[in-house]
Amino acid sequence: MRLVIQLLLWLVIIFLAYLTFDAVYRPIQFNKVKEKRYAKVIENLKDIRAAELAHREVTGSFEDDFDKLVRFIDTAEFAITQRRDTTYLDEEYRATYGVDQYIEDIVIDTLSFVSVKDSLFNGNEERYRTMINVPIEGADAKFDLDAGTISKGDNKIPVFEAKIAKSKILYDQDRTLVLQENEIQSVDDVNGRFISVGSMQEVNTNGNWPQSYGDE
């Protein structure tokens, strides 16, 4: 009887040790998976931001249709410009007052053009054609892309946002840990339920990830 009790006690000890180990090990493994996947997702979001900023520079607005954004990258060009100071005679002032007066101005010369896809993506079409896809095997998801304007005084300012829910990135991970991840608030982590870049509520083209993942 005593031997049976000892065996039961050892089984209980082993079971409790396993639970303790698992409680520590699972979050560690979860964080490793999370950080690796987040890094991949953020690289795509950076590419989307670069494409959107190029679209605004050339057209004056952001684009919420990904197919149109890709067509823009395929065909658009950046102008390579040079600024120089110049002065010229104010003919109207001279005619009115009989006195020479010169106007100082800045002239912008267009030197050449370079394609957007070469400038941003080194001509790598696969990279920008697939950047809307969440780059996590098995996730089968796309980034949500939105664009429009917000009012600032009398001005309409272009804004955009691209985002993906953490739950889609961590689709195969422990649900309890994913729910905890959605509630996280820390300067060293991605806060909230989404990884995103840009905003539809304010003029902001930053990402919501910490500096450990690279530039915002």
Side-chain angles (χ1 to χ4, degrees), residues 110-168:
T110 300
L111 303 179
S112 63
F113 293 89
V114 61
S115 71
V116 171
K117 67 179 179 182
D118 288 338
S119 178
L120 298 183
F121 302 101
N122 295 319
N124 186 341
E125 293 188 11
E126 180 70 15
R127 179 177 161 192
Y128 65 81
R129 290 182 187 280
T130 61
M131 65 186 177
I132 197 66
N133 300 324
V134 176
I136 306 302
E137 185 176 355
D140 192 25
K142 297 180 183 294
F143 294 99
D144 297 324
L145 184 62
D146 198 4
T149 60
I150 60 174
S151 298
K152 289 289 184 180
D154 296 330
N155 299 317
K156 294 285 189 180
I157 301 177
V159 292
F160 86 98
E161 184 177 42
K163 64 181 182 180
I164 186 68
K166 291 177 178 179
S167 59
K168 292 183 178 180

Side-chain angles (χ1 to χ4, degrees), residues 39 41 52 64 94 107 112 147 173-174 177 180 186 210-211 213:
V41 165
E52 288 285 5
D64 62 1
R94 183 181 186 185
V107 175
S112 63
Q173 298 299 296
D174 183 280
L177 294 176
Q180 291 175 3
S186 169
Q211 292 184 353
Y213 288 101

